[in-house]
């Protein structure tokens, strides 16, 4: 199975959906932030390993705590994933903290600030004329 085959894409989507459900509804670790989402999942073609990109809407400390909670609950999460998704092998999951959403929000704020200051400058110039 090639990396970008239709079958692999479907498996990635199914594993992502189930991991999101497991993290939101079944894992009871208090370290895991309630605003945690699975951004994307990359399952290896041999189904032995999986990279799960996790985004946490919160502080950097909350992100680290969430990652620690997910790593400590790895056995439970993998067991629940095996029950939910019928695969030949249940992949070993590696959780990776993805900060792209946070970066996007930060860049959006910066753009809004620049646009706002530009509009203020134009209004000040108009009032002088």
């Amino acid at each position: 199975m090639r990396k970008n085959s239709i079958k692999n894409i479907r498996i990635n989507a199914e594993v992502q959906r189930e991991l999101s459900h497991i993290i939101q509804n079944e894992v009871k670790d208090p370290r895991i932030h309630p605003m945690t989402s699975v951004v994307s999942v990359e399952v290896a073609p041999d189904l032995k390993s999986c990279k799960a990109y996790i985004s946490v809407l919160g502080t950097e400390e909350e992100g680290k705590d969430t990652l620690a909670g997910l790593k400590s609950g790895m056995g439970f999460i993998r067991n629940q994933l095996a029950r939910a998704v019928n695969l030949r092998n249940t992949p070993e999951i590696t959780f990776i903290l993805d900060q792209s959403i946070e970066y996007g929000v930060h860049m959006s704020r910066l753009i809004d600030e620049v646009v706002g200051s530009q509009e203020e400058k134009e209004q000040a110039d108009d009032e002088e004329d």
Side-chain angles (χ1 to χ4, degrees), residues 8-43:
N8 193 274
I9 291 169
R10 258 190 284 164
I11 289 172
N12 288 345
E14 183 68 17
V15 169
Q16 179 180 354
R17 188 173 63 78
E18 289 301 327
L19 272 179
S20 294
H21 175 76
I22 292 166
I23 291 170
Q24 291 295 320
N25 301 322
E26 298 178 24
V27 177
K28 303 295 183 206
D29 194 322
R31 293 177 287 183
I32 297 175
H33 194 271
M35 294 297 289
T36 300
S37 60
V38 180
V39 177
S40 69
V41 171
E42 294 176 6
V43 178

Side-chain angles (χ1 to χ4, degrees), residues 27 29-33 54 56 60-74 77 95 97:
V27 177
D29 194 322
R31 293 177 287 183
I32 297 175
H33 194 271
I54 305 296
V56 178
E60 189 173 328
E61 188 66 31
E62 290 171 331
K64 289 178 182 176
D65 288 346
T66 298
L67 215 52
L70 290 172
K71 286 180 181 176
S72 72
M74 181 81 66
I77 294 170
F95 292 106
L97 193 59

Side-chain angles (χ1 to χ4, degrees), residues 9 22 63 96 113-114:
I9 291 169
I22 292 166
I96 300 168
E113 288 175 13
V114 169

Side-chain angles (χ1 to χ4, degrees), residues 92-111:
E92 281 287 330
I93 305 167
T94 304
F95 292 106
I96 300 168
L97 193 59
D98 182 22
Q99 298 176 332
S100 61
I101 295 174
E102 191 175 306
Y103 178 75
V105 169
H106 175 69
M107 292 306 292
S108 180
R109 279 193 200 125
L110 291 176
I111 291 170

